[in-house]
Amino acid sequence: MTSANIKILIRFLLLIPLQVLIANHMRLFGYINPQISLLFLLWYPLKKDVSGFLVNSFLFGLMIDLFSNSGGVNAAACLLLAYTRLPIIKFIFNDKEINLKLFKYSNYSTMPKIALIFSLAFIHQFTVYSLEYFNVSYILTILQKTFTNSLFTTFVVIIFLSIFTSTKKQ
């Protein structure tokens, strides 16, 4: 097992209980809670094979669903994010030919990173709430909850990234 695979496994095993035991119980105004689990999708190396990323993301979301009793909505949302992460990164960083082996978030300014985190959080939350409500008549509720949760998730993820990510440049 390589060191990159060990890092992925450690993040997998640490972020699931962090999300399930802590973040899912943080309720702001009764319904706003951060999705710290997005860190797994954000930190997953771009240079790894796509099929492994899709499988790992699905299993990651499924484990969160299993412990949260949420019926598979996180698995679907994580799988969708895994599928759309690279095109979103290319769009936000305005780099159509990203070199996956040399890509580092630290090479980019703060605003695109915030836009990326918010975009991933918005897609995740929109998928989760759309599948939870599964009714078009609740679209305003879905959008309101999606937007507020995405803002709070972005704030919390930025704090986590500033604490746990090194800032050294090469």
Side-chain angles (χ1 to χ4, degrees):
M1 206 177 218
T2 65
S3 64
N5 289 340
I6 292 171
K7 275 185 181 179
I8 292 169
L9 181 64
I10 289 171
R11 289 173 182 160
F12 188 96
L13 295 174
L14 288 178
L15 285 172
I16 289 172
L18 189 63
Q19 178 66 47
V20 172
L21 298 175
I22 297 171
N24 283 356
H25 297 288
M26 293 172 59
R27 296 279 182 198
L28 198 63
F29 304 118
Y31 68 93
I32 299 174
N33 66 323
Q35 294 299 317
I36 299 170
S37 58
L38 287 179
L39 288 170
F40 179 76
L41 300 166
L42 195 62
W43 279 335
Y44 201 94
L46 288 176
K47 59 187 166 213
K48 287 285 191 182
D49 65 324
V50 177
S51 59
F53 180 45
L54 291 171
V55 169
N56 286 333
S57 298
F58 177 76
L59 291 175
F60 184 76
L62 196 61
M63 295 305 286
I64 291 174
D65 285 328
L66 181 70
F67 292 116
S68 301
N69 196 22
S70 52
V73 295
N74 283 299
C78 287
L79 186 61
L80 178 65
L81 279 183
Y83 187 73
T84 59
R85 180 183 71 154
L86 188 58
I88 292 170
I89 287 173
K90 286 180 179 180
F91 177 76
I92 289 178
F93 292 129
N94 200 18
D95 193 356
K96 304 301 180 219
E97 299 298 323
I98 288 180
N99 187 346
L100 300 181
K101 295 196 184 308
L102 299 176
F103 180 82
K104 289 188 179 224
Y105 291 108
S106 59
N107 294 341
Y108 296 94
S109 64
T110 305
M111 286 311 290
K113 289 188 240 180
I114 292 172
L116 174 66
I117 295 166
F118 182 78
S119 300
L120 293 176
F122 191 87
I123 291 168
H124 183 273
Q125 292 297 324
F126 186 77
T127 305
V128 166
Y129 286 124
S130 295
L131 292 173
E132 278 183 6
Y133 284 96
F134 207 67
N135 193 339
V136 178
S137 63
Y138 291 107
I139 191 68
L140 292 177
T141 304
I142 292 169
L143 289 173
Q144 184 248 341
K145 286 186 172 188
T146 298
F147 185 73
T148 53
N149 263 317
S150 298
L151 283 176
F152 189 56
T153 296
T154 302
F155 177 72
V156 171
V157 167
I158 288 170
I159 290 172
F160 266 85
L161 287 175
S162 65
I163 293 171
F164 294 111
T165 305
S166 65
T167 56
K168 63 180 178 182
K169 289 200 177 194
Q170 294 180 352

